[in-house]
Amino acid sequence: MQASVHTFDAETGAGSVLLDTGRVLPFPRDVFEDSGLRHLRLGQRLSIEVSGDPERAGTELTRLWIVGIGPGETIR
């Protein structure tokens, strides 16, 4: 699944993404730290994984990455 960076605080490492459906999902610092990325810019497209149905309450963003960047990610 893909989403766009909606907010990002470089000091805390937390932020949120905007799904293509218009729903905003926050992510905590540890998800950003685990991504191996050093910075995100507003509007940047990301690949994401979530815990459950992204349109239901209680869904959490569990992983974010950019295809081709990071361990095991190949550019297609």
Side-chain angles (χ1 to χ4, degrees), residues 9-66:
D9 183 331
E11 289 192 25
T12 66
S16 63
V17 297
L18 180 64
L19 303 179
D20 293 342
T21 61
R23 179 149 188 236
V24 174
L25 282 179
F27 61 86
R29 175 186 197 123
D30 61 325
V31 170
F32 175 70
E33 287 177 347
D34 291 347
S35 75
L37 301 173
R38 290 186 274 167
H39 184 72
L40 296 173
R41 61 179 168 71
L42 300 183
Q44 182 174 15
R45 292 294 282 178
L46 301 170
S47 293
I48 63 167
E49 287 180 0
V50 297
S51 65
D53 183 343
E55 294 305 315
R56 294 192 181 260
T59 299
E60 295 180 358
L61 195 147
T62 57
R63 181 176 177 229
L64 60 86
W65 72 99
I66 298 173

